[in-house]
Amino acid sequence: QVRLVESGGGLVEAGGSLRLSCAVSGNIVNAMGWYRQAPGKQRELVASISRGTSTDYSDSVKGRFTISRDNAKSTMYLQMNSLKPEDTGVYYCNACPQVSSIYISNFCFALGSWGQGTQVTVSS
């Protein structure tokens, strides 16, 4: 398994922006995803990226968030714009096992690697 370390969370006012980073140990390219978990709620997938450049977003963040990766830096990013209070939560990055070139949520959630999470708080 790979080791993942998230950073970039913080407190921001509604309408503001944050960029999260997920550093991946080793020179490994996996399909990856960003999840968030609000207090008392299940962890939900907000964005994913294939081993290449194919991306997908949940309806709640489409048009506001952008997922990207820099394989040379072994880092994945989540640019979050026009933040809303309902975006508040702990954000986790997830890396699929290398057997999958695309992000398959159930498979990657259960068998992939996780970071420790980074807190994002959006004030109204």
Side-chain angles (χ1 to χ4, degrees), residues 1-6 21-24 29-36 43-51 67 69 76-77 91-97 100 102-117:
Q1 285 194 337
V2 301
R3 180 170 176 262
L4 308 174
V5 179
E6 301 98 334
S21 298
C22 174
V24 183
V29 179
N30 296 60
M32 299 186 70
W34 282 101
Y35 286 75
R36 69 182 175 202
R43 199 171 293 190
E44 63 169 340
L45 179 64
V46 297
S48 63
I49 187 165
S50 70
R51 197 181 292 167
I67 188 171
R69 65 194 305 159
M76 178 180 67
Y77 304 98
Y91 282 69
Y92 299 89
C93 61
N94 171 259
C96 276
S100 177
I102 61 173
Y103 194 84
I104 304 170
S105 58
N106 290 343
F107 174 73
C108 301
F109 186 99
L111 298 179
S113 301
W114 293 91
Q116 82 289 350

Side-chain angles (χ1 to χ4, degrees), residues 26-97:
N27 189 22
I28 298 171
V29 179
N30 296 60
M32 299 186 70
W34 282 101
Y35 286 75
R36 69 182 175 202
Q37 188 166 20
K41 294 190 175 181
Q42 289 187 333
R43 199 171 293 190
E44 63 169 340
L45 179 64
V46 297
S48 63
I49 187 165
S50 70
R51 197 181 292 167
T53 57
S54 296
T55 59
D56 196 19
Y57 300 90
S58 68
D59 288 342
S60 62
V61 307
K62 200 170 293 184
R64 300 187 297 121
F65 290 12
T66 302
I67 188 171
S68 62
R69 65 194 305 159
D70 184 337
N71 291 336
K73 296 182 178 180
S74 298
T75 302
M76 178 180 67
Y77 304 98
L78 186 68
Q79 177 67 44
M80 306 186 294
N81 299 328
S82 303
L83 282 162
K84 304 175 181 180
E86 52 263 43
D87 294 319
T88 293
V90 179
Y91 282 69
Y92 299 89
C93 61
N94 171 259
C96 276

